[in-house]
Amino acid sequence: AQSVTQLDSQVPVFEEAPVELRCNYSSSVSVYLFWYVQYPNQGLQLLLKYLSGSTLVESINGFEAEFNKSQTSFHLRKPSVHISDTAEYFCALANAGGTSYGKLTFGQGTILTVHP
Amino acid sequence: EAGVTQSPTHLIKTRGQQATLRCSPISGHTSVYWYQQALGLGLQFLLWYDEGEERNRGNFPPRFSGRQFPNYSSELNVNALELEDSALYLCASSLGPPFGYTFGSGTRLTVV
């Protein structure tokens, strides 16, 4: 069975500081990896995804994540955060095949709070 | 382009009743997914429909069911409601796995 572990439930940072949200996964088959962001009382928005190719993927708003197969990680980073980045972030995994095909498995989420 | 739309936004039901939640996917998307986001339990996969067929199902009892219509919209039905069914139900659509899903804003179901 596959699983996703987000190592920090809450991450407080000051504005303009760098941040890293950690995500580790477990799966017996090839995976696709995603980061989603959820603002209060809203649905989830896709931030970035790794399907294949370059292990470093970037979003349009300055976030990046690196797929590390040997460490089974997909950490999310941003060099300088803004107040508007305050939200809950979810790491998710999809198997490339098998009985769980088509299903996204989510981590428990990390609440990022950016302080002025 | 219109996003994934869900209705109703909020739904209050009494224990034992039935709830029906609706979802319209993004135009052109044939796959619809349902997730439950309950307090303390995170996001749990419920159902995946594609081209009108149920393709995969999460670990939920049979009283959670649904269907997908020819226009690819979908309906989630929850029968014999229990208090622990209170949650945010999120619908998502995609062109099919493994593409990233686009989520709707959800239906907040409260069972009293």
Side-chain angles (χ1 to χ4, degrees):
Chain A
Q2 67 279 8
S3 66
V4 177
T5 302
Q6 290 184 241
L7 297 163
D8 306 291
S9 59
Q10 297 191 51
V11 173
V13 293
F14 287 106
E15 194 173 18
E16 298 184 4
V19 71
E20 178 180 79
L21 306 183
R22 297 179 293 168
C23 172
N24 286 99
Y25 69 91
S26 174
S27 176
S28 57
V29 299
S30 296
V31 299
Y32 307 112
L33 293 159
F34 308 84
W35 275 99
Y36 284 86
V37 58
Q38 187 177 33
Y39 299 99
N41 300 313
Q42 294 187 25
L44 280 72
Q45 299 175 29
L46 179 64
L47 199 56
L48 45 76
K49 60 188 175 186
Y50 170 78
L51 301 182
S52 65
S54 173
T55 57
L56 184 66
V57 290
E58 300 177 350
S59 72
I60 58 172
N61 56 355
F63 283 95
E64 65 177 30
E66 186 162 17
F67 172 59
N68 189 319
K69 189 175 181 179
S70 63
Q71 297 189 8
T72 60
S73 68
F74 191 56
H75 302 330
L76 182 69
R77 301 183 181 93
K78 189 171 185 180
S80 175
V81 294
H82 303 288
I83 297 287
S84 59
D85 293 324
T86 295
E88 188 162 16
Y89 292 78
F90 293 91
C91 182
L93 170 157
N95 281 339
T99 57
S100 60
Y101 186 59
K103 165 187 171 182
L104 271 184
T105 299
F106 285 89
Q108 290 299 307
T110 297
I111 297 173
L112 173 64
T113 305
V114 182
H115 298 284
Chain B
E1 170 182 272
V4 177
T5 57
Q6 292 186 246
S7 62
T9 306
H10 293 86
L11 190 58
I12 300 175
K13 291 288 186 177
T14 303
R15 191 172 51 183
Q17 284 188 317
Q18 178 194 38
T20 299
L21 288 63
R22 297 180 176 83
C23 173
S24 293
I26 288 174
S27 177
H29 285 187
T30 60
S31 279
V32 171
Y33 312 82
W34 288 95
Y35 284 79
Q36 181 196 66
Q37 188 175 25
L39 203 60
L41 296 178
L43 283 147
Q44 304 293 323
F45 169 74
L46 268 164
L47 290 158
W48 167 32
Y49 291 98
D50 184 65
E51 298 286 357
E53 300 286 330
E54 181 181 301
R55 302 295 185 184
N56 208 338
R57 181 182 180 86
N59 295 323
F60 281 84
R63 59 190 186 82
F64 286 83
S65 65
R67 53 180 171 166
Q68 186 178 34
F69 300 100
N71 65 355
Y72 303 115
S73 67
S74 177
E75 195 172 87
L76 174 69
N77 294 295
V78 188
N79 294 318
L81 284 165
E82 300 178 3
L83 296 178
E84 51 266 36
D85 296 334
S86 295
L88 180 67
Y89 288 83
L90 292 167
C91 172
S93 74
S94 80
L95 292 168
F99 302 102
Y101 303 175
T102 301
F103 280 87
S105 296
T107 292
R108 174 75 60 187
L109 173 63
T110 303
V111 182
V112 298

